Amino acid sequence: MDAHFAPPPAPPASRPPARSGQVFLAASTVRRAARLAEIRRDEELVAEALVDALRRVIAVKTPRTPEQIRAELDAAVKRSDEAQRALNIARISLRSRRNILYADSAPLPASIAAYRHRGNYRGAFGSMSELGNCLRSALGIVSGLTIADRTAIARNLHLHGDIWTLEHQGAVHVFGRPGSGADLILASERPSPDALVPREAPAS
């Protein structure tokens, strides 16, 4: 056959369509960003709790020896390390789980669908203090809390793994660990997220 009329070589059969590769790359980028955001969120709350604990140690007016002060500071740092370690373990463990049915109280926004594994989605709150006020009964507290105290309640429940929180689009989104006391409270007392955040399509 004349080389001038030879048919062009067929493309490799194993080459994936360009569109599929772009979609896979985009999905991988979203997942990687979500993992980093999870780590940053946990570290942020661990750091806040540690700063508060150190301030409380320093604020004590009772006379103490240097050894007593150092022991209290060491204990605060140890609790902080334990909380961060537990959050790291939970984050890895939850991501390995599949095919779990969640009892959400509100539609999960598409923009935070990457955190689906965090538990039952309980909607959005205006702030951590508002969330803590709703959850104070989990600690047997009725009233008399400052804004800082209410914030600390929500933060501590996050650190203990009863809930997981995420600040997104001007609101605090909350996931509850199925079966925890905090999750049960949120299931019955959650506010309507529609009043706090812009409407968006729920995650599929």
Side-chain angles (χ1 to χ4, degrees):
M1 179 181 292
D2 192 328
H4 180 72
F5 296 100
S14 61
R15 181 180 297 173
R19 180 63 178 171
S20 298
Q22 292 172 357
V23 171
F24 177 79
L25 180 60
S28 297
T29 301
V30 169
R31 287 193 297 269
R32 183 164 56 251
R35 285 195 292 270
L36 291 175
E38 282 185 271
I39 294 171
R40 286 196 299 269
R41 178 59 175 171
D42 287 345
E43 289 181 344
E44 174 188 11
L45 296 188
V46 169
E48 289 180 4
L50 178 57
V51 170
D52 281 352
L54 297 180
R55 284 173 177 165
R56 287 194 296 272
V57 171
I58 295 172
V60 173
K61 302 301 183 182
T62 305
R64 292 165 295 171
T65 65
E67 290 76 12
Q68 289 174 322
I69 295 175
R70 281 195 293 268
E72 293 175 13
L73 293 174
D74 288 344
V77 172
K78 181 180 179 180
R79 289 193 298 270
S80 178
D81 290 343
E82 291 173 348
Q84 185 159 358
R85 190 178 305 112
L87 288 171
N88 290 340
I89 292 172
R91 184 172 58 251
I92 296 171
S93 174
L94 288 173
R95 282 199 170 277
S96 67
R97 299 180 184 179
R98 297 291 186 272
N99 302 320
I100 296 177
L101 296 177
Y102 294 97
D104 297 342
S105 298
L108 178 64
S111 60
I112 59 173
Y115 309 102
R116 167 70 284 175
H117 58 285
R118 297 305 320 199
N120 297 325
Y121 180 62
R122 297 307 184 191
F125 289 73
S127 65
M128 287 289 279
S129 63
E130 181 183 327
L131 172 60
N133 191 53
C134 178
L135 289 170
R136 67 185 187 279
S137 60
L139 303 179
I141 301 172
V142 178
S143 61
L145 295 175
T146 65
I147 291 178
D149 291 336
R150 296 170 186 173
T151 300
I153 287 175
R155 184 177 61 227
N156 290 338
L157 288 170
H158 178 123
L159 297 182
H160 294 158
D162 290 343
I163 61 173
W164 193 78
T165 65
L166 177 70
E167 293 187 5
H168 177 68
Q169 294 186 346
V172 176
H173 295 262
V174 187
F175 296 83
R177 177 169 57 82
S180 70
D183 183 55
L184 296 177
I185 292 172
L186 291 171
S188 61
E189 298 186 20
R190 67 166 184 84
S192 172
D194 295 337
L196 296 171
V197 296
R199 284 184 178 274
E200 57 178 308
S204 58

